[in-house]
Amino acid sequence: MTTQNTTKKRCCGSSVGVIIADRADRLLMITRGWWPRGTAPVAGHVYDQHTDVADALVAEVNEEVGLTVIGSSLVWEGHLPNLCASLPYQPLAGHYWHLGIATAEGEVAAAPGETKGADWYTPDQVRTMARATLAHYRSGGAAADQPDDSLEAVWLKLLFEAGHLPWLTESDLAVAEAAYTTAPGEYWLGGRP
């Protein structure tokens, strides 16, 4: 694991997650283009390039799925010890999350490179992907090998907090936390992958 170069840019320690649902209660999610693996709603760092949470929420939705946010509100916030591809934030590794719901307009256009695509997922599909994530880690699967058709591990906790996965148990959330606190095999030290 590459960690010796501490002069490189570190994670800003903050994230915004954005849940966008359509009238059929389907969630808009992207399949991630790099670490951490899996499929998840739009998310990004807040204080790496943005002035505040609202700015980050609008910018990340536009950047990742090409939509224009026309309304939003925060539904949960708190620190989670999830690691990303950047060197961990110091002194407390992880991210202070601002979880929002948003309405947006336009045509979905997934960002190439940053995503492997975007689509709308029914509640049943989201549950299936959550179960796939849990099965992967309970069977000893590695974070680097997490399948694209599963939920990014930290989103089990975030969607639980937002009321989309109320059936998750404490044991399920512990499995997810063990997964999302796993460091990448190599940290991103600058530039785009």
Side-chain angles (χ1 to χ4, degrees):
M1 179 181 329
T2 304
T3 58
Q4 67 275 16
N5 191 346
T6 56
T7 62
K8 295 291 185 179
K9 184 178 175 185
R10 289 191 167 274
C11 173
C12 66
S14 61
S15 285
V16 62
V18 189
I19 299 170
I20 300 171
D22 67 7
R23 291 183 183 173
D25 205 27
R26 297 179 306 167
L27 299 185
L28 179 60
M29 298 198 292
I30 61 158
T31 300
R32 296 186 49 83
W34 55 68
W35 185 272
R37 302 285 312 268
T39 297
V42 170
H45 290 108
V46 175
Y47 297 111
D48 60 348
Q49 300 175 30
H50 310 292
T51 56
D52 58 29
V53 173
D55 177 53
L57 185 148
V58 169
E60 292 296 334
V61 169
N62 186 262
E63 178 183 321
E64 292 188 5
V65 292
L67 298 179
T68 301
V69 172
I70 57 174
S72 66
S73 62
L74 292 180
V75 294
W76 182 85
E77 64 181 279
H79 180 268
L80 295 176
N82 67 300
L83 298 177
C84 63
S86 297
L87 290 167
Y89 180 74
Q90 292 180 335
L92 182 61
H95 297 82
Y96 190 88
W97 279 88
H98 304 271
L99 181 60
I101 56 172
T103 53
E105 60 186 12
E107 294 295 319
V108 174
E114 189 163 342
T115 77
K116 295 179 183 178
D119 208 345
W120 295 93
Y121 293 84
T122 67
D124 284 343
Q125 289 171 312
V126 173
R127 278 189 294 275
T128 297
M129 290 193 309
R131 289 183 177 115
T133 303
L134 293 169
H136 175 76
Y137 289 106
R138 284 196 167 117
S139 69
D145 300 324
Q146 184 176 330
D148 287 341
D149 61 349
S150 63
L151 281 181
E152 177 190 344
V154 74
W155 277 94
L156 274 75
K157 171 67 171 172
L158 294 169
L159 289 173
F160 172 80
E161 293 296 343
H164 288 275
L165 297 174
W167 52 269
L168 290 173
T169 65
E170 286 185 30
S171 173
D172 295 334
L173 294 172
V175 167
E177 184 170 339
Y180 64 69
T181 56
T182 300
E186 184 175 346
Y187 283 109
W188 171 77
L189 299 176
R192 286 287 187 190

